[in-house]
Amino acid sequence: TSMTASPHIPKVRLPSGELLPALGWGTWGMGERPANRAAEVAALQWGLAAGFSVIDTAEMYADGGAEEVVGGALAGRRDQAFLVSKVYPHNASRSGVVAACERSLRRLQTDHLDLYLLHWRGRIPLAETIAGFEQLQAAGKIRHWGVSNFDSSDLHELSTLAGGQHCAANQVLYNLSRRGIEWQLLPVCQQSGMLLMAYSPLEQARLLKHPQLENFARERGATVSQI
């Protein structure tokens, strides 16, 4: 890959051994207002230039609108990004996940995803979703696949299924006020070598007004988000 990152950005490792910046861009909320599109594209491009190459999106966000924003931001820059998207559970049958991925690729204006996630657990058997992911991987449409919002029992079930050992990541809610995963889920991911991705690290900006964090940051000459 041609991705580069500032030496000041810590790295994490995928099960494949590939190194990624530990900090990336979420796009939940993007693509909802046409008037914001230029600013959203500019923000993502600024992040790429700064070395934050991981961009996370989903077909759910703005009903595909966030993927379209990301596609615009990556025009001429696709090789700079590690691109993540997610499939709705109701689209996650073997054929459904393939069709959903194709739609996402068109909106993103690319021929492949670096990581494709099942957004959350649904009614479709996991074996079907895995089969669809493996089909996409064999076709070169995705490089890695994973899950999101899975608890430790979900991961255990996944590990018993054919191909389940290929799961590269689990994306879950995790921040300073949401630390429940530290009891069981985080150790399970660490023991298996699976990458754990944290979403809403600032609790959708609510942590930025936390009095203790404000004091802690002020004493160190930093912002709450930096802390």
mmCIF file of all heavy atoms in Angstrom, residues 1-34:
data_model
loop_
_atom_site.group_PDB
_atom_site.id
_atom_site.type_symbol
_atom_site.label_atom_id
_atom_site.label_comp_id
_atom_site.label_asym_id
_atom_site.label_seq_id
_atom_site.Cartn_x
_atom_site.Cartn_y
_atom_site.Cartn_z
ATOM 1 N N THR A 1 0.842 -1.188 0.000
ATOM 2 C CA THR A 1 0.000 0.000 0.000
ATOM 3 C C THR A 1 0.878 1.238 0.000
ATOM 4 O O THR A 1 1.984 1.242 0.529
ATOM 5 C CB THR A 1 -0.917 -0.004 1.237
ATOM 6 O OG1 THR A 1 -1.668 1.203 1.241
ATOM 7 C CG2 THR A 1 -0.116 -0.066 2.543
ATOM 8 N N SER A 2 0.333 2.330 -0.550
ATOM 9 C CA SER A 2 1.082 3.577 -0.590
ATOM 10 C C SER A 2 0.693 4.507 0.545
ATOM 11 O O SER A 2 1.100 5.652 0.573
ATOM 12 C CB SER A 2 0.837 4.279 -1.933
ATOM 13 O OG SER A 2 -0.535 4.600 -2.074
ATOM 14 N N MET A 3 -0.133 4.013 1.485
ATOM 15 C CA MET A 3 -0.570 4.864 2.572
ATOM 16 C C MET A 3 0.600 5.232 3.465
ATOM 17 O O MET A 3 1.442 4.406 3.785
ATOM 18 C CB MET A 3 -1.639 4.153 3.402
ATOM 19 C CG MET A 3 -2.974 4.033 2.725
ATOM 20 S SD MET A 3 -4.191 3.282 3.800
ATOM 21 C CE MET A 3 -3.522 1.649 4.015
ATOM 22 N N THR A 4 0.631 6.489 3.882
ATOM 23 C CA THR A 4 1.629 6.944 4.829
ATOM 24 C C THR A 4 0.922 7.662 5.958
ATOM 25 O O THR A 4 -0.192 8.139 5.810
ATOM 26 C CB THR A 4 2.631 7.915 4.171
ATOM 27 O OG1 THR A 4 1.909 9.043 3.663
ATOM 28 C CG2 THR A 4 3.399 7.234 3.053
ATOM 29 N N ALA A 5 1.568 7.728 7.109
ATOM 30 C CA ALA A 5 0.979 8.415 8.249
ATOM 31 C C ALA A 5 2.070 9.119 9.018
ATOM 32 O O ALA A 5 3.227 8.708 8.999
ATOM 33 C CB ALA A 5 0.250 7.419 9.156
ATOM 34 N N SER A 6 1.690 10.190 9.673
ATOM 35 C CA SER A 6 2.636 10.923 10.489
ATOM 36 C C SER A 6 3.242 9.996 11.537
ATOM 37 O O SER A 6 2.549 9.143 12.098
ATOM 38 C CB SER A 6 1.912 12.078 11.185
ATOM 39 O OG SER A 6 2.683 12.582 12.255
ATOM 40 N N PRO A 7 4.535 10.141 11.820
ATOM 41 C CA PRO A 7 5.145 9.311 12.857
ATOM 42 C C PRO A 7 4.549 9.562 14.232
ATOM 43 O O PRO A 7 4.745 8.778 15.160
ATOM 44 C CB PRO A 7 6.626 9.710 12.801
ATOM 45 C CG PRO A 7 6.643 11.062 12.157
ATOM 46 C CD PRO A 7 5.497 11.052 11.190
ATOM 47 N N HIS A 8 3.794 10.667 14.380
ATOM 48 C CA HIS A 8 3.176 10.985 15.662
ATOM 49 C C HIS A 8 1.858 10.244 15.868
ATOM 50 O O HIS A 8 1.308 10.259 16.972
ATOM 51 C CB HIS A 8 2.948 12.493 15.777
ATOM 52 C CG HIS A 8 4.198 13.298 15.613
ATOM 53 N ND1 HIS A 8 5.239 13.253 16.512
ATOM 54 C CD2 HIS A 8 4.587 14.159 14.641
ATOM 55 C CE1 HIS A 8 6.210 14.063 16.119
ATOM 56 N NE2 HIS A 8 5.838 14.619 14.974
ATOM 57 N N ILE A 9 1.316 9.638 14.823
ATOM 58 C CA ILE A 9 0.062 8.897 14.936
ATOM 59 C C ILE A 9 0.395 7.449 15.302
ATOM 60 O O ILE A 9 1.105 6.775 14.559
ATOM 61 C CB ILE A 9 -0.734 8.933 13.620
ATOM 62 C CG1 ILE A 9 -1.022 10.372 13.205
ATOM 63 C CG2 ILE A 9 -2.040 8.162 13.768
ATOM 64 C CD1 ILE A 9 -1.685 10.509 11.851
ATOM 65 N N PRO A 10 -0.107 6.950 16.436
ATOM 66 C CA PRO A 10 0.185 5.558 16.797
ATOM 67 C C PRO A 10 -0.410 4.592 15.781
ATOM 68 O O PRO A 10 -1.342 4.935 15.048
ATOM 69 C CB PRO A 10 -0.472 5.400 18.171
ATOM 70 C CG PRO A 10 -1.515 6.476 18.216
ATOM 71 C CD PRO A 10 -0.982 7.618 17.413
ATOM 72 N N LYS A 11 0.130 3.393 15.736
ATOM 73 C CA LYS A 11 -0.291 2.387 14.757
ATOM 74 C C LYS A 11 -0.952 1.199 15.462
ATOM 75 O O LYS A 11 -0.666 0.901 16.618
ATOM 76 C CB LYS A 11 0.917 1.881 13.957
ATOM 77 C CG LYS A 11 1.783 2.964 13.328
ATOM 78 C CD LYS A 11 1.057 3.742 12.268
ATOM 79 C CE LYS A 11 2.044 4.593 11.456
ATOM 80 N NZ LYS A 11 2.843 5.519 12.281
ATOM 81 N N VAL A 12 -1.816 0.517 14.745
ATOM 82 C CA VAL A 12 -2.391 -0.750 15.168
ATOM 83 C C VAL A 12 -2.177 -1.755 14.046
ATOM 84 O O VAL A 12 -1.909 -1.383 12.899
ATOM 85 C CB VAL A 12 -3.891 -0.631 15.502
ATOM 86 C CG1 VAL A 12 -4.096 0.253 16.727
ATOM 87 C CG2 VAL A 12 -4.670 -0.072 14.316
ATOM 88 N N ARG A 13 -2.303 -3.016 14.364
ATOM 89 C CA ARG A 13 -1.990 -4.063 13.396
ATOM 90 C C ARG A 13 -3.205 -4.958 13.146
ATOM 91 O O ARG A 13 -3.834 -5.450 14.083
ATOM 92 C CB ARG A 13 -0.826 -4.915 13.921
ATOM 93 C CG ARG A 13 -0.223 -5.846 12.870
ATOM 94 C CD ARG A 13 0.919 -6.661 13.486
ATOM 95 N NE ARG A 13 1.994 -5.819 13.987
ATOM 96 C CZ ARG A 13 3.002 -5.371 13.240
ATOM 97 N NH1 ARG A 13 3.059 -5.669 11.947
ATOM 98 N NH2 ARG A 13 3.948 -4.627 13.782
ATOM 99 N N LEU A 14 -3.531 -5.150 11.887
ATOM 100 C CA LEU A 14 -4.552 -6.118 11.499
ATOM 101 C C LEU A 14 -4.019 -7.537 11.691
ATOM 102 O O LEU A 14 -2.798 -7.740 11.746
ATOM 103 C CB LEU A 14 -4.941 -5.921 10.038
ATOM 104 C CG LEU A 14 -5.854 -4.748 9.695
ATOM 105 C CD1 LEU A 14 -5.903 -4.543 8.197
ATOM 106 C CD2 LEU A 14 -7.257 -4.981 10.236
ATOM 107 N N PRO A 15 -4.902 -8.530 11.778
ATOM 108 C CA PRO A 15 -4.421 -9.913 11.866
ATOM 109 C C PRO A 15 -3.490 -10.304 10.721
ATOM 110 O O PRO A 15 -2.628 -11.168 10.886
ATOM 111 C CB PRO A 15 -5.724 -10.733 11.832
ATOM 112 C CG PRO A 15 -6.752 -9.823 12.403
ATOM 113 C CD PRO A 15 -6.367 -8.448 11.935
ATOM 114 N N SER A 16 -3.639 -9.656 9.565
ATOM 115 C CA SER A 16 -2.771 -9.938 8.415
ATOM 116 C C SER A 16 -1.362 -9.399 8.605
ATOM 117 O O SER A 16 -0.452 -9.716 7.832
ATOM 118 C CB SER A 16 -3.370 -9.314 7.152
ATOM 119 O OG SER A 16 -3.395 -7.890 7.267
ATOM 120 N N GLY A 17 -1.165 -8.563 9.630
ATOM 121 C CA GLY A 17 0.126 -7.932 9.861
ATOM 122 C C GLY A 17 0.200 -6.511 9.338
ATOM 123 O O GLY A 17 1.161 -5.788 9.613
ATOM 124 N N GLU A 18 -0.806 -6.084 8.591
ATOM 125 C CA GLU A 18 -0.815 -4.739 8.015
ATOM 126 C C GLU A 18 -0.964 -3.683 9.107
ATOM 127 O O GLU A 18 -1.813 -3.796 9.999
ATOM 128 C CB GLU A 18 -1.975 -4.633 7.022
ATOM 129 C CG GLU A 18 -2.063 -3.326 6.286
ATOM 130 C CD GLU A 18 -3.174 -3.360 5.238
ATOM 131 O OE1 GLU A 18 -3.711 -4.450 4.953
ATOM 132 O OE2 GLU A 18 -3.500 -2.285 4.700
ATOM 133 N N LEU A 19 -0.141 -2.655 9.057
ATOM 134 C CA LEU A 19 -0.192 -1.570 10.034
ATOM 135 C C LEU A 19 -1.096 -0.449 9.546
ATOM 136 O O LEU A 19 -1.060 -0.071 8.369
ATOM 137 C CB LEU A 19 1.210 -1.021 10.293
ATOM 138 C CG LEU A 19 2.136 -1.879 11.157
ATOM 139 C CD1 LEU A 19 3.534 -1.278 11.173
ATOM 140 C CD2 LEU A 19 1.595 -2.025 12.571
ATOM 141 N N LEU A 20 -1.889 0.108 10.467
ATOM 142 C CA LEU A 20 -2.791 1.204 10.166
ATOM 143 C C LEU A 20 -2.659 2.286 11.220
ATOM 144 O O LEU A 20 -2.315 1.998 12.370
ATOM 145 C CB LEU A 20 -4.250 0.723 10.170
ATOM 146 C CG LEU A 20 -4.661 -0.364 9.198
ATOM 147 C CD1 LEU A 20 -6.076 -0.798 9.512
ATOM 148 C CD2 LEU A 20 -4.554 0.149 7.783
ATOM 149 N N PRO A 21 -2.964 3.534 10.878
ATOM 150 C CA PRO A 21 -3.050 4.570 11.917
ATOM 151 C C PRO A 21 -4.131 4.194 12.925
ATOM 152 O O PRO A 21 -5.197 3.693 12.550
ATOM 153 C CB PRO A 21 -3.422 5.829 11.148
ATOM 154 C CG PRO A 21 -3.070 5.547 9.732
ATOM 155 C CD PRO A 21 -3.241 4.081 9.535
ATOM 156 N N ALA A 22 -3.871 4.425 14.202
ATOM 157 C CA ALA A 22 -4.838 4.065 15.239
ATOM 158 C C ALA A 22 -6.020 5.031 15.291
ATOM 159 O O ALA A 22 -7.021 4.742 15.942
ATOM 160 C CB ALA A 22 -4.150 4.020 16.596
ATOM 161 N N LEU A 23 -5.896 6.160 14.616
ATOM 162 C CA LEU A 23 -6.969 7.147 14.587
ATOM 163 C C LEU A 23 -7.468 7.307 13.160
ATOM 164 O O LEU A 23 -6.674 7.381 12.225
ATOM 165 C CB LEU A 23 -6.481 8.498 15.111
ATOM 166 C CG LEU A 23 -5.929 8.509 16.535
ATOM 167 C CD1 LEU A 23 -5.357 9.881 16.870
ATOM 168 C CD2 LEU A 23 -6.996 8.114 17.529
ATOM 169 N N GLY A 24 -8.787 7.359 13.013
ATOM 170 C CA GLY A 24 -9.359 7.503 11.681
ATOM 171 C C GLY A 24 -10.583 8.394 11.714
ATOM 172 O O GLY A 24 -10.933 8.976 12.744
ATOM 173 N N TRP A 25 -11.235 8.477 10.584
ATOM 174 C CA TRP A 25 -12.395 9.351 10.408
ATOM 175 C C TRP A 25 -13.682 8.546 10.346
ATOM 176 O O TRP A 25 -13.809 7.638 9.529
ATOM 177 C CB TRP A 25 -12.280 10.131 9.100
ATOM 178 C CG TRP A 25 -11.247 11.214 9.122
ATOM 179 C CD1 TRP A 25 -9.929 11.084 8.813
ATOM 180 C CD2 TRP A 25 -11.444 12.571 9.470
ATOM 181 N NE1 TRP A 25 -9.293 12.290 8.943
ATOM 182 C CE2 TRP A 25 -10.202 13.224 9.350
ATOM 183 C CE3 TRP A 25 -12.559 13.315 9.874
ATOM 184 C CZ2 TRP A 25 -10.033 14.576 9.612
ATOM 185 C CZ3 TRP A 25 -12.389 14.661 10.131
ATOM 186 C CH2 TRP A 25 -11.141 15.280 10.003
ATOM 187 N N GLY A 26 -14.646 8.895 11.194
ATOM 188 C CA GLY A 26 -15.995 8.374 11.059
ATOM 189 C C GLY A 26 -16.822 9.345 10.234
ATOM 190 O O GLY A 26 -16.563 10.549 10.236
ATOM 191 N N THR A 27 -17.832 8.836 9.536
ATOM 192 C CA THR A 27 -18.621 9.700 8.643
ATOM 193 C C THR A 27 -20.107 9.696 8.983
ATOM 194 O O THR A 27 -20.922 10.148 8.182
ATOM 195 C CB THR A 27 -18.429 9.278 7.175
ATOM 196 O OG1 THR A 27 -18.880 7.922 7.014
ATOM 197 C CG2 THR A 27 -16.970 9.388 6.775
ATOM 198 N N TRP A 28 -20.465 9.171 10.154
ATOM 199 C CA TRP A 28 -21.858 9.220 10.582
ATOM 200 C C TRP A 28 -22.271 10.687 10.686
ATOM 201 O O TRP A 28 -21.594 11.483 11.331
ATOM 202 C CB TRP A 28 -21.990 8.520 11.922
ATOM 203 C CG TRP A 28 -23.408 8.388 12.414
ATOM 204 C CD1 TRP A 28 -24.556 8.521 11.690
ATOM 205 C CD2 TRP A 28 -23.800 8.072 13.750
ATOM 206 N NE1 TRP A 28 -25.651 8.311 12.491
ATOM 207 C CE2 TRP A 28 -25.212 8.023 13.756
ATOM 208 C CE3 TRP A 28 -23.103 7.807 14.922
ATOM 209 C CZ2 TRP A 28 -25.942 7.744 14.909
ATOM 210 C CZ3 TRP A 28 -23.834 7.518 16.068
ATOM 211 C CH2 TRP A 28 -25.226 7.485 16.063
ATOM 212 N N GLY A 29 -23.344 11.064 10.018
ATOM 213 C CA GLY A 29 -23.810 12.451 9.998
ATOM 214 C C GLY A 29 -23.437 13.185 8.732
ATOM 215 O O GLY A 29 -24.008 14.243 8.438
ATOM 216 N N MET A 30 -22.488 12.662 7.973
ATOM 217 C CA MET A 30 -22.135 13.281 6.702
ATOM 218 C C MET A 30 -23.143 12.874 5.620
ATOM 219 O O MET A 30 -23.790 11.841 5.719
ATOM 220 C CB MET A 30 -20.732 12.874 6.272
ATOM 221 C CG MET A 30 -19.625 13.452 7.121
ATOM 222 S SD MET A 30 -17.979 13.126 6.415
ATOM 223 C CE MET A 30 -16.943 13.951 7.629
ATOM 224 N N GLY A 31 -23.247 13.709 4.600
ATOM 225 C CA GLY A 31 -24.106 13.397 3.464
ATOM 226 C C GLY A 31 -25.572 13.676 3.684
ATOM 227 O O GLY A 31 -26.403 13.362 2.838
ATOM 228 N N GLU A 32 -25.909 14.278 4.816
ATOM 229 C CA GLU A 32 -27.318 14.534 5.115
ATOM 230 C C GLU A 32 -27.799 15.875 4.590
ATOM 231 O O GLU A 32 -28.989 16.068 4.362
ATOM 232 C CB GLU A 32 -27.543 14.453 6.628
ATOM 233 C CG GLU A 32 -27.287 13.056 7.188
ATOM 234 C CD GLU A 32 -27.457 12.983 8.694
ATOM 235 O OE1 GLU A 32 -27.660 14.048 9.323
ATOM 236 O OE2 GLU A 32 -27.376 11.865 9.238
ATOM 237 N N ARG A 33 -26.869 16.823 4.402
ATOM 238 C CA ARG A 33 -27.245 18.160 3.935
ATOM 239 C C ARG A 33 -26.342 18.555 2.763
ATOM 240 O O ARG A 33 -25.127 18.698 2.951
ATOM 241 C CB ARG A 33 -27.108 19.178 5.070
ATOM 242 C CG ARG A 33 -28.017 18.895 6.256
ATOM 243 C CD ARG A 33 -27.734 19.852 7.409
ATOM 244 N NE ARG A 33 -28.571 19.564 8.558
ATOM 245 C CZ ARG A 33 -28.271 18.633 9.466
ATOM 246 N NH1 ARG A 33 -27.154 17.934 9.352
ATOM 247 N NH2 ARG A 33 -29.078 18.419 10.480
ATOM 248 N N PRO A 34 -26.910 18.745 1.577
ATOM 249 C CA PRO A 34 -26.096 19.117 0.411
ATOM 250 C C PRO A 34 -25.233 20.347 0.654
ATOM 251 O O PRO A 34 -24.123 20.448 0.124
ATOM 252 C CB PRO A 34 -27.149 19.369 -0.676
ATOM 253 C CG PRO A 34 -28.315 18.512 -0.284
ATOM 254 C CD PRO A 34 -28.332 18.543 1.224
#
